[in-house]
Amino acid sequence: MDSDLEAIRQRRMMEMMAKQGGMGGPGGAMTAEQAEEQEAARREAEDKRSGMLATFMTAEARERLARIALVKPEKARGVENMILAAAQRGQLGEKVSDERLMSMLEQISEREGAAKPKITIQRRRPLFEDDD
């Protein structure tokens, strides 16, 4: 369902860009065929990415990451990027296990926690309070 919604958003964005004279063929408008080709390329890249992740992760880790992606897609994407970058550098000696995935998630949470400002709420006292 989310992928369908994302596809609709992508298509709508392409249509808006074409109306503004963005990319495309004759007259500056992107044809439906070009939009479909671009969508197919995006899907293919996403399939390739998920295939690579499947080779570098255990089944339990993939399941956990899928559940996280339902709730926090940006965090799941960050972990995926970490795993793929480590694989490209050759730092993965073995498949990413569930425990290793949890430690990666903790690292990301610590980084996010340090970046976010802490908010404190101070409640005001009533103006006419008896302090006698």
Side-chain angles (χ1 to χ4, degrees), residues 52-122:
M52 288 172 53
L53 284 169
T55 60
F56 298 128
M57 298 175 72
T58 63
E60 295 84 17
R62 280 183 287 158
E63 288 175 17
R64 182 179 296 272
L65 191 59
R67 288 191 304 267
I68 291 168
L70 291 174
V71 179
K72 295 189 177 187
E74 63 282 347
K75 186 174 271 194
R77 194 70 162 181
V79 172
E80 289 174 357
N81 291 338
M82 283 177 65
I83 293 170
L84 291 173
Q88 287 175 346
R89 290 189 303 261
Q91 294 178 339
L92 292 180
E94 56 189 31
K95 287 188 172 189
V96 175
S97 65
D98 195 36
E99 292 80 22
R100 189 165 176 190
L101 179 67
M102 286 190 284
S103 69
M104 288 177 157
L105 289 166
E106 288 172 1
Q107 288 175 357
I108 290 177
S109 294
E110 288 173 5
R111 268 191 256 146
E112 288 178 357
K116 291 183 180 178
K118 186 174 181 179
I119 299 173
T120 57
I121 299 174
Q122 295 179 339

Side-chain angles (χ1 to χ4, degrees), residues 30-48:
M30 178 176 267
T31 64
E33 183 178 310
Q34 289 173 327
E36 286 180 23
E37 288 175 7
Q38 200 169 34
E39 180 65 25
R42 187 189 65 78
R43 268 192 240 118
E44 183 180 333
E46 192 64 34
D47 289 343
K48 186 176 180 181

